[in-house]
Amino acid sequence: VQLQASGGGLVQPGGSLRLSCAVSGFSLIGYAVGWFRQAPGKERERVSCISSHDGSTFYTDSVKGRFTISRDNAKNMMFLQMNNLKPEDTAVYYCAAERLALRCNLYQYSEFGYWGQGTLVTVSS
């Protein structure tokens, strides 16, 4: 079982990045997927997630209108399109997956059992 996150990098404020997460070893069908991030000295926070049972999406307030999460079950991948990036978006971004019965935003990050290795996003001029 492996989740491989990619797409991070250095970008100027206002720029865009697209994170990808390729999953191998199991099918994402029936799994909720999510993106989390952890900035230096801060706790890991949920950025966005997609529930498995109804496809509902969740975004933390600070990224609403700027980030878009998506998934491609056929390719067994998930994505996070990040636009109008801000310095406060700087963090290591992790993809995660888990079988969750309820909406994904009701679960803490510790309840996601499958994690990628993280990809660093740095927003700086």
Side-chain angles (χ1 to χ4, degrees), residues 7-28:
L10 174 63
V11 63
Q12 291 186 343
S16 298
L17 284 174
R18 188 189 192 215
L19 305 184
S20 300
C21 180
V23 179
S24 60
F26 68 97
S27 170
L28 278 178

Side-chain angles (χ1 to χ4, degrees), residues 25-100:
F26 68 97
S27 170
L28 278 178
I29 296 174
Y31 281 75
V33 297
W35 289 92
F36 296 75
R37 66 186 179 187
Q38 188 164 18
K42 294 188 177 181
E43 290 190 359
R44 189 169 299 190
E45 67 167 339
R46 180 178 42 244
V47 175
S48 182
C49 61
I50 303 177
S51 301
S52 58
H53 65 290
D54 64 0
S56 59
T57 56
F58 166 85
Y59 297 92
T60 193
D61 285 344
S62 62
V63 308
K64 285 181 180 177
R66 301 188 297 121
F67 289 12
T68 303
I69 190 172
S70 61
R71 63 190 295 168
D72 186 333
N73 287 342
K75 295 183 178 180
N76 229 29
M77 296 185 70
M78 66 183 88
F79 307 94
L80 185 68
Q81 177 66 44
M82 306 186 295
N83 298 328
N84 191 22
L85 283 159
K86 303 177 180 180
E88 52 263 41
D89 295 317
T90 295
V92 177
Y93 284 71
Y94 300 89
C95 54
E98 186 55 83
R99 286 189 175 275
L100 302 174

Side-chain angles (χ1 to χ4, degrees), residues 100-112:
L100 302 174
L102 304 175
R103 288 188 176 180
C104 58
N105 60 301
L106 298 177
Y107 296 85
Q108 300 298 317
Y109 75 84
S110 57
E111 296 175 278
F112 281 74

